[in-house]
PDB file of all heavy atoms in Angstrom:
ATOM      1  N   PHE A  34       1.591  -5.822   2.216  1.00 93.00           N
ATOM      2  CA  PHE A  34       0.753  -6.672   3.035  1.00 93.00           C
ATOM      3  C   PHE A  34      -0.122  -7.583   2.225  1.00 93.00           C
ATOM      4  O   PHE A  34      -0.208  -7.445   0.997  1.00 93.00           O
ATOM      5  CB  PHE A  34      -0.232  -5.668   3.703  1.00 93.00           C
ATOM      6  CG  PHE A  34       0.330  -4.573   4.419  1.00 93.00           C
ATOM      7  CD1 PHE A  34       0.547  -3.378   3.792  1.00 93.00           C
ATOM      8  CD2 PHE A  34       0.734  -4.664   5.813  1.00 93.00           C
ATOM      9  CE1 PHE A  34       1.066  -2.308   4.460  1.00 93.00           C
ATOM     10  CE2 PHE A  34       1.210  -3.565   6.425  1.00 93.00           C
ATOM     11  CZ  PHE A  34       1.524  -2.349   5.743  1.00 93.00           C
ATOM     12  N   TYR A  36      -4.030  -8.916   2.370  1.00 95.00           N
ATOM     13  CA  TYR A  36      -5.303  -8.741   3.024  1.00 95.00           C
ATOM     14  C   TYR A  36      -6.204  -9.899   2.478  1.00 95.00           C
ATOM     15  O   TYR A  36      -6.011 -10.312   1.311  1.00 95.00           O
ATOM     16  CB  TYR A  36      -5.979  -7.380   2.694  1.00 95.00           C
ATOM     17  CG  TYR A  36      -5.668  -6.298   3.638  1.00 95.00           C
ATOM     18  CD1 TYR A  36      -4.341  -5.805   3.628  1.00 95.00           C
ATOM     19  CD2 TYR A  36      -6.481  -5.797   4.595  1.00 95.00           C
ATOM     20  CE1 TYR A  36      -3.949  -4.697   4.559  1.00 95.00           C
ATOM     21  CE2 TYR A  36      -6.217  -4.720   5.376  1.00 95.00           C
ATOM     22  CZ  TYR A  36      -4.934  -4.232   5.326  1.00 95.00           C
ATOM     23  OH  TYR A  36      -4.486  -3.211   6.185  1.00 95.00           O
ATOM     24  N   GLN A  38     -10.318 -10.992   1.894  1.00 95.00           N
ATOM     25  CA  GLN A  38     -11.703 -10.406   1.793  1.00 95.00           C
ATOM     26  C   GLN A  38     -12.621 -11.497   1.520  1.00 95.00           C
ATOM     27  O   GLN A  38     -12.546 -12.209   0.415  1.00 95.00           O
ATOM     28  CB  GLN A  38     -11.833  -9.355   0.668  1.00 95.00           C
ATOM     29  CG  GLN A  38     -13.073  -8.619   0.655  1.00 95.00           C
ATOM     30  CD  GLN A  38     -13.204  -7.429  -0.337  1.00 95.00           C
ATOM     31  OE1 GLN A  38     -12.462  -7.348  -1.292  1.00 95.00           O
ATOM     32  NE2 GLN A  38     -14.048  -6.466  -0.030  1.00 95.00           N
ATOM     33  N   ARG A  41     -18.488 -10.172  -0.076  1.00 85.00           N
ATOM     34  CA  ARG A  41     -19.372  -9.114   0.357  1.00 85.00           C
ATOM     35  C   ARG A  41     -18.987  -8.587   1.711  1.00 85.00           C
ATOM     36  O   ARG A  41     -19.919  -8.039   2.483  1.00 85.00           O
ATOM     37  CB  ARG A  41     -20.780  -9.463   0.280  1.00 85.00           C
ATOM     38  CG  ARG A  41     -21.323  -9.839  -1.178  1.00 85.00           C
ATOM     39  CD  ARG A  41     -22.663 -10.381  -1.097  1.00 85.00           C
ATOM     40  NE  ARG A  41     -23.647  -9.239  -0.993  1.00 85.00           N
ATOM     41  CZ  ARG A  41     -23.979  -8.398  -1.894  1.00 85.00           C
ATOM     42  NH1 ARG A  41     -23.445  -8.485  -3.042  1.00 85.00           N
ATOM     43  NH2 ARG A  41     -24.814  -7.332  -1.584  1.00 85.00           N
ATOM     44  N   GLU A  43     -15.785  -6.656   4.345  1.00 95.00           N
ATOM     45  CA  GLU A  43     -14.637  -5.793   4.329  1.00 95.00           C
ATOM     46  C   GLU A  43     -13.325  -6.530   4.340  1.00 95.00           C
ATOM     47  O   GLU A  43     -13.199  -7.621   4.896  1.00 95.00           O
ATOM     48  CB  GLU A  43     -14.724  -4.799   5.519  1.00 95.00           C
ATOM     49  CG  GLU A  43     -14.400  -5.438   6.854  1.00 95.00           C
ATOM     50  CD  GLU A  43     -15.522  -6.012   7.490  1.00 95.00           C
ATOM     51  OE1 GLU A  43     -16.476  -6.446   6.835  1.00 95.00           O
ATOM     52  OE2 GLU A  43     -15.410  -6.028   8.758  1.00 95.00           O
ATOM     53  N   PRO A  44     -12.240  -5.870   3.629  1.00 95.00           N
ATOM     54  CA  PRO A  44     -10.886  -6.585   3.828  1.00 95.00           C
ATOM     55  C   PRO A  44     -10.365  -6.616   5.177  1.00 95.00           C
ATOM     56  O   PRO A  44     -10.627  -5.584   5.892  1.00 95.00           O
ATOM     57  CB  PRO A  44     -10.077  -5.636   2.916  1.00 95.00           C
ATOM     58  CG  PRO A  44     -10.970  -4.866   2.086  1.00 95.00           C
ATOM     59  CD  PRO A  44     -12.270  -4.638   2.879  1.00 95.00           C
ATOM     60  N   LEU A  46      -6.648  -7.529   7.365  1.00 93.00           N
ATOM     61  CA  LEU A  46      -5.282  -7.897   7.353  1.00 93.00           C
ATOM     62  C   LEU A  46      -5.041  -9.354   7.517  1.00 93.00           C
ATOM     63  O   LEU A  46      -5.384  -9.867   8.643  1.00 93.00           O
ATOM     64  CB  LEU A  46      -4.455  -6.991   8.293  1.00 93.00           C
ATOM     65  CG  LEU A  46      -2.976  -7.247   8.256  1.00 93.00           C
ATOM     66  CD1 LEU A  46      -2.314  -6.784   6.995  1.00 93.00           C
ATOM     67  CD2 LEU A  46      -2.297  -6.643   9.513  1.00 93.00           C
ATOM     68  N   ARG A  96       1.682  10.433  -0.890  1.00 61.00           N
ATOM     69  CA  ARG A  96       0.517   9.905  -0.458  1.00 61.00           C
ATOM     70  C   ARG A  96       0.594   8.497   0.193  1.00 61.00           C
ATOM     71  O   ARG A  96       0.928   7.516  -0.532  1.00 61.00           O
ATOM     72  CB  ARG A  96      -0.460   9.692  -1.718  1.00 61.00           C
ATOM     73  CG  ARG A  96      -1.881   9.583  -1.403  1.00 61.00           C
ATOM     74  CD  ARG A  96      -2.810   9.609  -2.638  1.00 61.00           C
ATOM     75  NE  ARG A  96      -2.643   8.440  -3.403  1.00 61.00           N
ATOM     76  CZ  ARG A  96      -2.916   8.436  -4.642  1.00 61.00           C
ATOM     77  NH1 ARG A  96      -3.227   9.476  -5.297  1.00 61.00           N
ATOM     78  NH2 ARG A  96      -2.785   7.242  -5.319  1.00 61.00           N
ATOM     79  N   ALA A  98      -1.234   6.355   1.425  1.00 77.00           N
ATOM     80  CA  ALA A  98      -2.403   5.425   1.610  1.00 77.00           C
ATOM     81  C   ALA A  98      -2.093   3.966   0.976  1.00 77.00           C
ATOM     82  O   ALA A  98      -1.059   3.810   0.254  1.00 77.00           O
ATOM     83  CB  ALA A  98      -3.527   5.991   0.779  1.00 77.00           C
ATOM     84  N   LEU A  99      -2.918   3.047   1.353  1.00 84.00           N
ATOM     85  CA  LEU A  99      -2.669   1.718   0.843  1.00 84.00           C
ATOM     86  C   LEU A  99      -3.137   1.678  -0.684  1.00 84.00           C
ATOM     87  O   LEU A  99      -4.207   2.105  -0.946  1.00 84.00           O
ATOM     88  CB  LEU A  99      -3.477   0.744   1.684  1.00 84.00           C
ATOM     89  CG  LEU A  99      -3.056   0.645   3.145  1.00 84.00           C
ATOM     90  CD1 LEU A  99      -4.123  -0.272   3.896  1.00 84.00           C
ATOM     91  CD2 LEU A  99      -1.643   0.146   3.320  1.00 84.00           C
ATOM     92  N   PHE A 101      -4.117  -1.102  -3.553  1.00 91.00           N
ATOM     93  CA  PHE A 101      -4.585  -2.517  -3.537  1.00 91.00           C
ATOM     94  C   PHE A 101      -4.518  -3.073  -4.968  1.00 91.00           C
ATOM     95  O   PHE A 101      -4.758  -2.408  -5.950  1.00 91.00           O
ATOM     96  CB  PHE A 101      -6.098  -2.560  -3.112  1.00 91.00           C
ATOM     97  CG  PHE A 101      -6.286  -2.403  -1.688  1.00 91.00           C
ATOM     98  CD1 PHE A 101      -6.327  -1.155  -1.085  1.00 91.00           C
ATOM     99  CD2 PHE A 101      -6.576  -3.442  -0.931  1.00 91.00           C
ATOM    100  CE1 PHE A 101      -6.544  -0.914   0.235  1.00 91.00           C
ATOM    101  CE2 PHE A 101      -6.767  -3.323   0.508  1.00 91.00           C
ATOM    102  CZ  PHE A 101      -6.759  -2.075   1.011  1.00 91.00           C
TER     103      PHE A 101
ATOM    104  N   TYR B  35     -12.479   4.396   0.005  1.00 96.00           N
ATOM    105  CA  TYR B  35     -12.279   3.572  -1.107  1.00 96.00           C
ATOM    106  C   TYR B  35     -13.593   3.112  -1.775  1.00 96.00           C
ATOM    107  O   TYR B  35     -14.541   3.102  -1.170  1.00 96.00           O
ATOM    108  CB  TYR B  35     -11.560   2.263  -0.771  1.00 96.00           C
ATOM    109  CG  TYR B  35     -10.055   2.374  -0.329  1.00 96.00           C
ATOM    110  CD1 TYR B  35      -9.763   2.696   1.012  1.00 96.00           C
ATOM    111  CD2 TYR B  35      -9.082   2.400  -1.200  1.00 96.00           C
ATOM    112  CE1 TYR B  35      -8.388   2.792   1.390  1.00 96.00           C
ATOM    113  CE2 TYR B  35      -7.771   2.469  -0.959  1.00 96.00           C
ATOM    114  CZ  TYR B  35      -7.475   2.719   0.379  1.00 96.00           C
ATOM    115  OH  TYR B  35      -6.135   2.768   0.833  1.00 96.00           O
ATOM    116  N   GLN B  37     -15.034  -0.041  -4.430  1.00 95.00           N
ATOM    117  CA  GLN B  37     -14.580  -1.286  -4.998  1.00 95.00           C
ATOM    118  C   GLN B  37     -15.663  -1.748  -6.085  1.00 95.00           C
ATOM    119  O   GLN B  37     -16.885  -1.858  -5.748  1.00 95.00           O
ATOM    120  CB  GLN B  37     -14.595  -2.405  -3.892  1.00 95.00           C
ATOM    121  CG  GLN B  37     -14.093  -3.764  -4.394  1.00 95.00           C
ATOM    122  CD  GLN B  37     -13.765  -4.714  -3.271  1.00 95.00           C
ATOM    123  OE1 GLN B  37     -14.459  -4.839  -2.254  1.00 95.00           O
ATOM    124  NE2 GLN B  37     -12.840  -5.718  -3.432  1.00 95.00           N
ATOM    125  N   LEU B  45      -8.647   4.330  -4.265  1.00 93.00           N
ATOM    126  CA  LEU B  45      -8.751   5.297  -3.295  1.00 93.00           C
ATOM    127  C   LEU B  45      -9.405   6.594  -3.813  1.00 93.00           C
ATOM    128  O   LEU B  45      -9.084   7.180  -4.849  1.00 93.00           O
ATOM    129  CB  LEU B  45      -7.378   5.842  -2.771  1.00 93.00           C
ATOM    130  CG  LEU B  45      -7.273   6.876  -1.791  1.00 93.00           C
ATOM    131  CD1 LEU B  45      -7.780   6.304  -0.370  1.00 93.00           C
ATOM    132  CD2 LEU B  45      -5.757   7.317  -1.597  1.00 93.00           C
ATOM    133  N   TYR B  48      -8.363  10.711   0.932  1.00 92.00           N
ATOM    134  CA  TYR B  48      -7.808  10.416   2.147  1.00 92.00           C
ATOM    135  C   TYR B  48      -7.597  11.545   3.107  1.00 92.00           C
ATOM    136  O   TYR B  48      -7.586  12.678   2.631  1.00 92.00           O
ATOM    137  CB  TYR B  48      -6.713   9.454   2.119  1.00 92.00           C
ATOM    138  CG  TYR B  48      -5.374  10.094   1.893  1.00 92.00           C
ATOM    139  CD1 TYR B  48      -4.401  10.193   2.845  1.00 92.00           C
ATOM    140  CD2 TYR B  48      -5.109  10.811   0.619  1.00 92.00           C
ATOM    141  CE1 TYR B  48      -3.125  10.809   2.601  1.00 92.00           C
ATOM    142  CE2 TYR B  48      -3.919  11.380   0.390  1.00 92.00           C
ATOM    143  CZ  TYR B  48      -2.917  11.450   1.372  1.00 92.00           C
ATOM    144  OH  TYR B  48      -1.729  12.013   1.093  1.00 92.00           O
ATOM    145  N   THR B  99       0.582   1.165  10.214  1.00 71.00           N
ATOM    146  CA  THR B  99       0.213   1.038   8.896  1.00 71.00           C
ATOM    147  C   THR B  99      -1.062   0.023   8.606  1.00 71.00           C
ATOM    148  O   THR B  99      -1.617   0.033   7.518  1.00 71.00           O
ATOM    149  CB  THR B  99       1.356   0.580   7.964  1.00 71.00           C
ATOM    150  OG1 THR B  99       1.779  -0.735   8.324  1.00 71.00           O
ATOM    151  CG2 THR B  99       2.503   1.492   8.158  1.00 71.00           C
ATOM    152  N   GLU B 100      -1.410  -0.849   9.551  1.00 84.00           N
ATOM    153  CA  GLU B 100      -2.495  -1.720   9.240  1.00 84.00           C
ATOM    154  C   GLU B 100      -3.669  -0.873   9.168  1.00 84.00           C
ATOM    155  O   GLU B 100      -4.017   0.005   9.953  1.00 84.00           O
ATOM    156  CB  GLU B 100      -2.602  -2.769  10.398  1.00 84.00           C
ATOM    157  CG  GLU B 100      -3.948  -3.657  10.126  1.00 84.00           C
ATOM    158  CD  GLU B 100      -4.213  -4.622  11.188  1.00 84.00           C
ATOM    159  OE1 GLU B 100      -3.425  -4.709  12.142  1.00 84.00           O
ATOM    160  OE2 GLU B 100      -5.230  -5.318  11.196  1.00 84.00           O
ATOM    161  N   ALA B 101      -4.576  -0.996   8.185  1.00 89.00           N
ATOM    162  CA  ALA B 101      -5.835  -0.264   7.982  1.00 89.00           C
ATOM    163  C   ALA B 101      -7.021  -1.148   8.443  1.00 89.00           C
ATOM    164  O   ALA B 101      -7.011  -2.394   8.170  1.00 89.00           O
ATOM    165  CB  ALA B 101      -6.019   0.110   6.641  1.00 89.00           C
ATOM    166  N   PHE B 103     -11.123  -1.581   8.254  1.00 95.00           N
ATOM    167  CA  PHE B 103     -12.182  -1.229   7.426  1.00 95.00           C
ATOM    168  C   PHE B 103     -13.579  -1.254   7.968  1.00 95.00           C
ATOM    169  O   PHE B 103     -13.803  -2.162   8.892  1.00 95.00           O
ATOM    170  CB  PHE B 103     -12.180  -2.114   6.214  1.00 95.00           C
ATOM    171  CG  PHE B 103     -11.047  -1.804   5.198  1.00 95.00           C
ATOM    172  CD1 PHE B 103      -9.907  -2.265   5.459  1.00 95.00           C
ATOM    173  CD2 PHE B 103     -11.351  -0.956   4.108  1.00 95.00           C
ATOM    174  CE1 PHE B 103      -8.877  -1.919   4.554  1.00 95.00           C
ATOM    175  CE2 PHE B 103     -10.338  -0.664   3.233  1.00 95.00           C
ATOM    176  CZ  PHE B 103      -9.029  -1.193   3.505  1.00 95.00           C
ATOM    177  N   GLY B 104     -14.465  -0.338   7.671  1.00 96.00           N
ATOM    178  CA  GLY B 104     -15.894  -0.436   8.021  1.00 96.00           C
ATOM    179  C   GLY B 104     -16.551  -1.573   7.126  1.00 96.00           C
ATOM    180  O   GLY B 104     -15.824  -2.187   6.228  1.00 96.00           O
ATOM    181  N   ARG B 108     -23.208  -0.301   0.200  1.00 96.00           N
ATOM    182  CA  ARG B 108     -23.584  -0.783  -1.161  1.00 96.00           C
ATOM    183  C   ARG B 108     -24.504   0.245  -1.808  1.00 96.00           C
ATOM    184  O   ARG B 108     -25.603   0.323  -1.310  1.00 96.00           O
ATOM    185  CB  ARG B 108     -24.122  -2.126  -1.073  1.00 96.00           C
ATOM    186  CG  ARG B 108     -23.035  -3.219  -0.902  1.00 96.00           C
ATOM    187  CD  ARG B 108     -23.555  -4.486  -0.448  1.00 96.00           C
ATOM    188  NE  ARG B 108     -22.286  -5.383  -0.203  1.00 96.00           N
ATOM    189  CZ  ARG B 108     -21.511  -5.402   0.715  1.00 96.00           C
ATOM    190  NH1 ARG B 108     -21.566  -4.505   1.598  1.00 96.00           N
ATOM    191  NH2 ARG B 108     -20.423  -6.154   0.694  1.00 96.00           N
TER     192      ARG B 108
END
Side-chain angles (χ1 to χ4, degrees):
Chain A
F34 312 89
Y36 275 70
Q38 186 174 27
R41 301 178 70 79
E43 72 273 23
L46 179 69
R96 193 175 75 206
L99 299 173
F101 286 78
Chain B
Y35 289 89
Q37 186 173 34
L45 182 67
Y48 80 111
T99 69
E100 176 185 357
F103 285 81
R108 283 159 180 77

